[in-house]
Amino acid sequence: LSLAATGQPASAACFESGVGCPSDHYIPRSVLSTLSCDALWMIRNSIYDELGFCFKTARALETFSNEDCYVTNASRLKFNTFERTNIDRIVAVERKKGCR
């Protein structure tokens, strides 16, 4: 499956492949289980990026710009219900798949 950004507004991280916008609905576990580890990583970290998280790992810095970040401690991010649930679901699927 390809995971491409949709034509949503620039401020929303939205994806194709049945994922949609993780900040405004729950992503079904059945959809998440079909995605690659890389796609799961991208969706999970896009949520953090949208909330202004300042990334530290080389992979995240290559993928997301810290240019507009303002939160250095992930525990200070204010997730809405959809984001928190989707992150929890993604992490569970990543563990089940053995993603690193």
Side-chain angles (χ1 to χ4, degrees), residues 31-57:
V31 170
L32 293 172
S33 66
T34 66
L35 301 176
S36 69
C37 289
D38 285 337
L40 293 166
W41 180 91
M42 177 63 75
I43 296 165
R44 181 171 46 80
N45 282 288
S46 72
I47 297 170
Y48 285 85
D49 183 57
E50 289 293 317
L51 295 175
F53 184 65
C54 300
F55 293 98
K56 297 168 186 81
T57 67

Side-chain angles (χ1 to χ4, degrees), residues 32 35-41 44 59 90-100:
L32 293 172
L35 301 176
S36 69
C37 289
D38 285 337
L40 293 166
W41 180 91
R44 181 171 46 80
R59 179 181 183 188
I90 291 167
V91 168
V93 171
E94 285 175 318
R95 283 187 185 134
K96 187 174 182 180
K97 288 181 171 246
C99 301
R100 291 204 165 250

Side-chain angles (χ1 to χ4, degrees), residues 50-92:
E50 289 293 317
L51 295 175
F53 184 65
C54 300
F55 293 98
K56 297 168 186 81
T57 67
R59 179 181 183 188
L61 289 169
E62 287 177 21
T63 306
F64 303 100
S65 167
N66 271 353
E67 182 173 302
D68 59 351
C69 75
Y70 55 92
V71 181
T72 57
N73 184 336
S75 68
R76 295 188 182 263
L77 291 172
K78 298 189 186 310
F79 300 107
N80 69 30
T81 303
F82 298 112
E83 293 161 338
R84 179 77 266 156
T85 298
N86 288 330
I87 287 172
D88 291 345
R89 288 180 179 182
I90 291 167
V91 168

